[in-house]
Amino acid sequence: MLTDSQYIFESIKEGCLTLSDDEFVIDRLVKYFGNGRIRWHVEFRGHPVELTTGQLKKQPTFRRKILEQAGVLPPQRAGTDYRRWALDLRKNAIELPWRDRPVDVGFAIDRLTSHGDERWTVEYQGKAIKFTTTKLRRQVSFRKRMLAKAKVLPPQLDPAAYRKWMDWLIQNATDPQPGDVLMTEKSWLDDLPELAGWQK
């Protein structure tokens, strides 16, 4: 696994586009708060790049994230200049509640696994989110649960398109693989009140 600095160095050797101070102008920084965490979206040329506070404070990590998601490398600043620039950026951020976060247009799940008895696991970026068939088939329930458990809001689809997509997912669902963490009956029972929409 390359460090941020190594990744940047390799990208420069491969000829990535490095912007000057004049060329690298951020459209806006949005601070999303709520759910016990703060997240930042740097919006640059139409690309929202999501960062934690720690990633925003570290120049190599910030440059790598922009390079990975927007395809250009921000200019290198002196340490004190970058800290001052990042602080000014955070001070002028637009604050929004987390639930007003923009829909993730590029949303795609990694895998849907069937556990029998109308129990399913949606795998998304390393997270396994449990669903019942009913919750899976209801778009409102699916979006709400993905936002709560994976901190991602799937795009709103036309009802017919959602049914077609979900039917396809269910038809192509996989069985648990030998290397998977076993989904025990107890872990499902622990989560049942929430899956059923009951108050704990």
Side-chain angles (χ1 to χ4, degrees):
M1 182 83 178
L2 292 175
T3 66
D4 294 329
S5 297
Q6 287 169 337
Y7 179 87
I8 290 166
F9 181 69
E10 291 297 321
S11 300
I12 290 169
K13 280 205 309 190
E14 289 169 16
C16 74
L17 179 62
T18 305
L19 300 181
S20 67
D21 275 337
D22 295 337
E23 294 171 314
F24 185 69
V25 180
I26 286 172
D27 301 327
R28 67 176 186 167
L29 178 69
V30 183
K31 177 183 180 180
Y32 289 102
F33 59 90
N35 208 18
R37 289 174 61 199
I38 291 172
R39 303 159 191 83
W40 306 85
H41 274 192
V42 171
E43 295 181 7
F44 173 73
R45 294 183 181 175
H47 295 275
V49 180
E50 189 173 322
L51 300 156
T52 63
T53 305
Q55 290 169 336
L56 197 53
K57 285 180 176 179
K58 292 177 190 161
Q59 183 169 202
T61 308
F62 173 79
R63 295 179 81 212
R64 178 179 182 161
K65 284 278 190 183
I66 298 289
L67 180 58
E68 285 176 336
Q69 295 183 47
V72 293
L73 184 64
Q76 173 83 40
R77 298 172 190 264
T80 51
D81 283 350
Y82 179 80
R83 283 193 293 277
R84 194 178 306 113
W85 177 83
L87 189 62
D88 287 343
L89 198 63
R90 294 200 307 277
K91 280 181 182 173
N92 294 308
I94 297 162
E95 295 194 9
L96 292 173
W98 179 245
R99 289 202 177 271
D100 289 347
R101 173 188 181 181
V103 170
D104 293 272
V105 180
F107 174 79
I109 69 168
D110 301 323
R111 185 167 68 160
L112 177 67
T113 304
S114 169
H115 299 280
D117 296 328
E118 302 205 344
R119 298 180 304 169
W120 306 85
T121 304
V122 169
E123 292 179 29
Y124 175 80
Q125 293 189 357
K127 295 182 175 72
I129 302 103
K130 300 174 208 169
F131 283 90
T132 60
T133 304
T134 305
K135 291 277 178 189
L136 207 53
R137 288 196 174 277
R138 284 190 192 138
Q139 182 168 198
V140 172
S141 301
F142 176 76
R143 295 179 82 223
K144 185 177 177 182
R145 191 159 175 78
M146 289 302 294
L147 182 60
K149 294 293 183 180
K151 309 297 180 279
V152 62
L153 183 62
Q156 176 100 33
L157 299 176
D158 173 83
Y162 181 80
R163 282 194 301 273
K164 190 173 180 181
W165 177 66
M166 194 49 67
D167 285 344
W168 183 87
L169 279 179
I170 288 170
Q171 284 169 10
N172 291 281
T174 60
D175 294 324
Q177 301 299 309
D180 289 349
V181 176
L182 288 175
M183 188 65 68
T184 64
E185 195 68 29
K186 184 183 182 309
S187 72
W188 264 92
L189 289 171
D190 287 346
D191 214 18
L192 261 183
E194 197 179 339
L195 285 167
W198 304 335
Q199 295 298 319
K200 287 190 178 179

